[in-house]
Amino acid sequence: MFFRRILTGLPILLLCLTAQATVYTFTVVEDHLFENPANWYPAFPGTTIAPFDHWVIEGEMYVSAAVIRVEGNLQIGMQGALIATDYHKGIEVALGGIIDNGGKTLVKQIDLEGNLFNRRSCRFSVEKLLAKPTALTQNYGNLEVEEQFRNEGRFDNYFSCTVRGDFRNLAVFNQIRKARLVVAGEIFFQPGCVLTQSAESEIYVGREEKIAIHEQLAAIFK
């Protein structure tokens, strides 16, 4: 009887915990500042998106907080933008966290354990992209990395990925049909990693002249 009462109460307890999830919406009310509570509804959420919570960025938002931690869902809308200032260090995306970019995102560093989605016709620009083994990145738009790209998870490139610094793939990188990867610095594929490349996709590398490396990759991954 005791165990039956505990098990019967569990769904109610879980429902109560889930019901506490909140959607926070940013719109430009007084200015474009992330830290201004007047721009948020129903309240200023702080710098951590809790599990199950959802942030929706509907206007152009400037962030000076040192770090934003994503344990829930960060959604940048079609008319939205997340732009980091000089004081901003980066975004930490925990396991289970999601960044869904449907507009424009410009940040210094992404430490990614969860999921990153860059939608079609959208821009995601970052100085350093550091993806952990649990990370999933799907790029349907334009993803730009200025300094360092390091992938230890799974990266699906459907459109355009440009790395102006060094590119290191230590796990799975998929070049989908008609996708384009351009690396201005050094390119490194760890032996044993997975690279799948559609015959209609392109990979270019080189600091000066971009040189297609289909033949070299074919020799490595045959």
Side-chain angles (χ1 to χ4, degrees):
M1 179 65 74
F2 175 73
F3 290 103
R4 181 178 299 173
R5 287 178 179 173
I6 291 179
L7 292 174
T8 302
L10 279 177
I12 298 176
L13 175 60
L14 292 175
L15 180 62
C16 292
L17 291 175
T18 304
Q20 295 176 359
T22 305
V23 176
Y24 296 90
T25 303
F26 177 94
T27 55
V28 179
V29 176
E30 291 186 349
D31 50 37
H32 295 272
L33 300 181
F34 162 76
E35 292 87 353
N36 186 349
N39 297 323
W40 287 93
Y41 180 84
F44 177 64
T47 57
T48 297
I49 306 177
F52 305 110
D53 279 359
H54 195 137
W55 291 10
V56 180
I57 312 303
E58 294 185 343
E60 190 172 273
M61 181 179 76
Y62 288 83
V63 179
S64 61
V67 175
I68 290 178
R69 182 169 175 81
V70 180
E71 299 176 4
N73 191 323
L74 170 59
Q75 178 184 349
I76 296 91
M78 185 180 300
Q79 304 301 322
L82 191 159
I83 301 172
T85 68
D86 292 338
Y87 301 100
H88 178 71
K89 294 181 180 179
I91 298 178
E92 299 175 351
V93 185
L95 184 64
I98 299 172
I99 296 182
D100 186 350
N101 181 47
K104 180 172 67 173
T105 300
L106 287 78
V107 297
K108 287 193 174 182
Q109 182 167 316
I110 299 289
D111 292 287
L112 185 65
E113 293 184 27
N115 299 336
L116 168 60
F117 302 112
N118 189 38
R119 300 298 177 181
R120 191 177 303 275
S121 302
C122 298
R123 181 188 177 194
F124 198 102
S125 181
V126 60
E127 289 185 12
K128 295 181 180 180
L129 175 59
L130 308 175
K132 306 298 184 182
T134 54
L136 170 63
T137 305
Q138 292 190 323
N139 175 47
Y140 294 88
N142 293 286
L143 192 148
E144 305 168 355
V145 181
E146 297 296 328
E147 294 181 4
Q148 182 183 356
F149 176 101
R150 181 182 178 90
N151 176 51
E152 299 179 28
R154 172 180 162 182
F155 191 107
D156 296 333
N157 186 33
Y158 288 85
F159 189 64
S160 176
C161 179
T162 301
V163 181
R164 297 184 176 91
D166 294 336
F167 174 100
R168 296 179 66 84
N169 181 56
L170 309 180
V172 178
F173 191 94
N174 296 317
Q175 277 281 90
I176 313 302
R177 180 174 175 267
K178 295 185 177 180
R180 180 179 177 88
L181 170 65
V182 177
V183 180
E186 296 182 356
I187 189 168
F188 174 81
F189 289 96
Q190 178 170 283
C193 73
V194 176
L195 170 71
T196 59
Q197 183 183 9
S198 165
E200 297 181 53
S201 66
E202 299 176 315
I203 299 179
Y204 294 91
V205 63
R207 293 188 183 278
E208 301 299 331
E209 181 181 0
K210 305 295 182 297
I211 303 172
I213 59 170
H214 299 81
E215 293 183 0
Q216 293 93 319
L217 292 176
I220 296 173
F221 295 100
K222 62 182 179 180

